[in-house]
Structure formats: structure tokens, C-alpha cells
Amino acid sequence: MSVFSNVQQGPPIEVFALTKAFTDDTFPNKVNLGVGAYRTENGQPWVLPVVKKAEKIIAEDETLTKEYLPVLGLDSFTAAVTKMVLGDDSPAIRENRAFGIQCLSGTGALRVCAEFLSRQLGYKTFYISSPTWENHTLVFKNAGFHEVRTYRYWCEKKRGLDLEGMLQDLRNAPERSVVILHACAHNPTGCDPTPEQWEKIADVVQEKQLFPVLDTAYQGFASGDLDNDAYTIRYFVNRGFETMICQSFAKNFGLYNERVGNLVCVVNNPCAIVNVKSQFTLIIRGMYSNPPSHGARVVSFVLNNAQLYDEWKEAIKTMASRVVNMRHALRDALERFGTPGTWNHITSQIGMFSYTGLTEEQVLHLIQNHHVYLLRSGRINMCGLNASNVEYVAKAIHDAVTAYPRQKL
Ligand code: LMR
């Protein structure tokens, strides 16, 4: 008898199980549109040249050691990335009302944020969009939140935002709820509110005194422009909300496995910051003590060097424009083949993902018969497409849609 005997098997993590199934597949023309990671035109992962450059310099720098970083991370990193997201002229920075905490990528930032909200501020209910990134729920629940609620977001019929539904659900939120908002390039739908719609959403958040958590994993990656993709965050901060912003540098720096993230905390009373920081310090000390240095040093090095910063912005533009090209290529091919349905949403959505509207049956058909891997929800990673496979994928989608026609909505 073992103390472990009664452990139940947990469900697989869909996105990683899909990567494994893809890797194990021996079919030569297989295509992975699952996990959200950038691929070049040749279908290969991309270590950004500016990252390699920084890494070489860092490796040669004899002054850098492997001593522990402070619990809240590398100051030069947190200051640079906080400025990057809030903007050079942010009133919150000017008034010393904002600070950053280095975290283990966006997921780590979400977890530290959720720990603080639940343990220090006593929040127990959180709202996620329907649908959302599947990990939001697990992260918040593991951090001590009891109740997960959803707000309507995606309207299947119009393949766009259900603004009225979203506002209504947030208006019905119980007091002291946290609402997770995707700051740009909503995952999985690739559909963002317009500035006018954000204004209405912010009005309800204010009226109901909800606590907004802004999740930003794609700054720069979505539109190719860092300021553009930070619009929502700056709007909320400049409107005076207290908030926490969860930044990831997985996609825009291509630092997926380095786990580089930052949690920006914006408060109205700067005098509270010393105490707030001390509680964050205890939360992190109790979880992983202090963060790793490598990825944060790379980002800090690039952002604190004007020439490298510009090089990085060019790399972001390369990635963003390749995604846009692939959106057009996929839509064109589907329309050329006369694939049943409308496909304009593929080019109107933004960011890494497209929410295709494919049903679960069609998705299974794509995986099993065509070796095209995508999430059950119909989400595809646009970066998995390139000039050599886009026609193949479009034909496969055509076949799936024809074999399993969609019910009229
Ligand atoms: C994704 O959504 O595919 C990525 O953010 C990877 C992940 O951790 O789910």
C-alpha cells in the first residue's frame, strides 16, 4: 500500500497534449496550429537576433554573477517594462503610484496577482470571459479564489463581441469581484473591443467597483506597434483605476521557456506602496523565493539600449506582419475554394490566434484525417501557417466543413 495509491489521474492539458500528438505524428505534411508560439516562414521557432546579441554580451560580462536577485526581481527590468506598458508620460509613474514585480512569465504574474487579491484583499470571486485562455481558472482557483463566473464575450452568430451580454453580466456581478480583461489580442478569439466599447466596459467596472486585472501577453505582437497594443491599459490607468497588469514576454520577445513576466501594480495612494510591496515579498518568498535572472537580464538589456530597442521593435513588426499576411492567405484560399460559410472574420481578428468557428467534429476530422492540429474550440495559431502549407490547410478545412456541415445558428 502506498500513500499515493488513491491519487486520481488529472485531465491532460489540451494544448500541450496536442503538441505531443503532433510531435509523435510521422505524417510528412502535418501542421501544428495548436500551441501559441511563433514560427518563421519556414515553420521554425525563432530566437530573435536581438535576444542572441544581448545573450552574448551578457555571457561575456564578468561583473554579472549568479547571486540571488531581490525577491521582487531585477529593478532595471521591472522599471523598463513598467514604462513600456504604461507609457513614457504615464501619470501613474510620475506620481509614484505604479511599480513592477518580476514574475514567472504571464502565468506567474497572474498567480502572484491572484494570491495578493485573495489573501491580502479578500477577493473570492473572479470573472473570466467566455471563452478565455483555459489556464485563468486554474491559476485563480489555486490562489484561493472560490468562485469563478463568466461574462459573455464571443457571439458565435455574428463572430464578434457580444458587448451587450458582457455589460449585462458585469452589471450583475456581486460586489467585490475581480474581472480579468484581455488588454489586446484576446485569446482565443482574436476579437477586441473598440475604444468606444472599452469606455462602456470601464464605466461598468467603475460603477460596480470591480477590480480589473489586465492580462497582456501580446504587446507589440498584435498590431506591430507597442503603444497601440497598450491602449486599453493606458486608458484604464489614466482614467484612475487601481489595477494589476500581468505582462508576458513569451510571445513578443520569443522568450517562452525563460519565463519572463512582470506584474504592474497601480495604486491610488503612494503611501500604501511600502506595505503592499512587503506583502508581495512574503507571497513570493513562500512560493519560489526569488526569480531567475537570465530572461529578465536580456529584456532589460534590450530595453535600456536605444539601438537594441529599435531592433527589437523591427522584429516585432516582422512577426506581426507575417501573421497578417497569413490571415489574408488563409481567407483567400478558403474563398477561392468556395468553402461553405463566411471567412472574413479571419482577417478582422487580430493577434496570434484566429477563432475559426470550426466545430468540434470538424476539428477532430482535421486532426485525424489531415494531420492538422488545432484546439477543440476551433482556435488556430496563425503563426503555424506559411506559404508552403496554407493551401493544404485550407483544403483540409474545406473538406472538414463539407463533411460535417454546420447547423444554422
Ligand atoms: C497558448 O494559449 O497556446 C499559449 O499561451 C500557451 C499556453 O500556455 O497555453
Side-chain angles (χ1 to χ4, degrees), residues 15-16 34-36 133-134 187 218 251 353 379:
V15 74
F16 298 130
V35 68
W133 180 50
E134 59 55 69
N187 178 3
Y218 306 95
K251 328 279 182 193
F353 303 114
R379 185 195 87 170

Side-chain angles (χ1 to χ4, degrees), residues 151-164:
Y151 58 84
R152 278 168 280 172
Y153 191 84
W154 177 252
C155 171
E156 189 62 54
K157 192 160 180 195
K158 66 174 183 191
R159 295 234 171 95
L161 180 70
D162 179 2
L163 180 70
E164 279 320 308

